[in-house]
Amino acid sequence: GEDVEQSLFLSVREGDSSVINCTYTDSSSTYLYWYKQEPGAGLQLLTYIFSNMDMKQDQRLTVLLNKKDKHLSLRIADTQTGDSAIYFCADRGIGAGNMLTFGGGTRLMVKP
Amino acid sequence: KAGVTQTPRYLIKTRGQQVTLSCSPISGHRSVSWYQQTPGQGLQFLFEYFSETQRNKGNFPGRFSGRQFSNSRSEMNVSTLELGDSALYLCASSFVTYKSGYTFGSGTRLTVV
């Protein structure tokens, strides 16, 4: 089946930029999503990118997509302690209905 | 606008019992999907319902089932519970099926003892 991979952990200092990386295997991916999960909570949609785009910016968030390498990244500018959470990338392929394939999540820790 | 509501928030059941979880999607959303989240397996897709029809199903045993009602509310049922069914069960709803992403509820934490 399709696979989505993420590194497990990232630690940054408050005010620095964070870059969370994701790789996927599905050549037919249509949309790719970034979700945030805080302790005890569900998943919050942060942003998404359509597969024919290279980049999308949304306030402090920048998503870069390299379709050739099947690599997706999420950059958080001026990272704050409130950004500490687990970040999931997810892939929706053609014909997948509304099924998303999630990566294992990257735990972001922001140190003051 | 109310979000996706899942009930109950927490549940403790005994092995062999069955359980029903409920999900009320955002008003106007017709697609409801269910996911299981565990520390070992991460987030795994269970099934998706659209207009009362199951449109997609993940790789779970037949003990896991679901349905959707005419008001788009959905329930999932797990019969003959096993310890490994302990997980956070998340429901997601969407309106336009791909552009707007999927809004998740806070989940139901099921513990099987």
Side-chain angles (χ1 to χ4, degrees):
Chain A
E2 305 304 340
D3 200 19
V4 178
E5 299 280 345
Q6 297 178 241
S7 52
L8 284 177
F9 188 75
L10 177 66
S11 177
V12 300
R13 291 245 173 242
E14 191 173 21
D16 288 350
S17 291
S18 308
V19 179
I20 302 171
N21 294 300
C22 172
T23 57
Y24 59 97
T25 60
D26 187 0
S27 315
S28 70
S29 288
T30 52
Y31 282 85
L32 295 130
Y33 301 86
W34 283 104
Y35 281 89
K36 175 184 179 182
Q37 187 177 37
E38 295 181 89
L43 300 174
Q44 176 193 352
L45 176 65
L46 291 176
T47 187
Y48 63 91
I49 188 166
F50 187 46
S51 59
N52 71 351
M53 296 170 65
D54 300 327
M55 185 181 95
K56 182 178 180 182
Q57 190 151 0
D58 186 359
Q59 298 183 328
R60 291 191 298 125
L61 305 179
T62 303
V63 179
L64 294 178
L65 175 61
N66 181 327
K67 198 173 179 184
K68 174 175 166 289
D69 293 338
K70 298 191 181 70
H71 181 267
L72 181 74
S73 67
L74 173 70
R75 178 176 179 270
I76 306 173
D78 187 26
T79 314
Q80 303 297 308
T81 54
D83 295 324
S84 292
I86 301 177
Y87 291 80
F88 293 92
C89 67
D91 153 51
R92 179 187 177 272
I94 287 178
N98 273 352
M99 184 182 93
L100 296 177
T101 301
F102 283 89
T106 299
R107 182 178 295 275
L108 174 64
M109 178 181 289
V110 183
K111 298 178 182 176
Chain B
K1 185 170 170 180
V4 177
T5 303
Q6 291 189 246
T7 56
R9 284 282 279 132
Y10 302 93
L11 209 46
I12 300 175
K13 289 286 189 179
T14 305
R15 267 183 303 176
Q17 286 187 312
Q18 75 161 14
V19 67
T20 299
L21 312 182
S22 178
C23 172
S24 293
I26 290 172
S27 178
H29 285 195
R30 294 166 64 191
S31 168
V32 174
S33 303
W34 289 88
Y35 290 81
Q36 181 196 64
Q37 185 177 27
T38 59
Q41 299 297 317
L43 281 152
Q44 293 187 286
F45 173 77
L46 280 156
F47 25 66
E48 182 217 350
Y49 288 87
F50 185 83
S51 294
E52 300 178 66
T53 301
Q54 187 181 84
R55 194 158 68 167
N56 217 339
K57 189 176 192 305
N59 190 24
F60 278 82
R63 300 185 297 106
F64 291 80
S65 63
R67 59 179 176 168
Q68 187 180 34
F69 301 95
S70 58
N71 62 357
S72 293
R73 190 177 71 86
S74 177
E75 289 181 347
M76 67 162 280
N77 185 77
V78 188
S79 61
T80 319
L81 283 165
E82 300 176 0
L83 295 179
D85 297 333
S86 295
L88 180 66
Y89 290 88
L90 292 163
C91 165
S93 77
S94 71
F95 175 56
V96 177
T97 56
Y98 47 88
K99 288 183 182 177
S100 55
Y102 314 97
T103 303
F104 281 80
S106 298
T108 293
R109 171 78 60 187
L110 172 65
T111 303
V112 183
V113 297

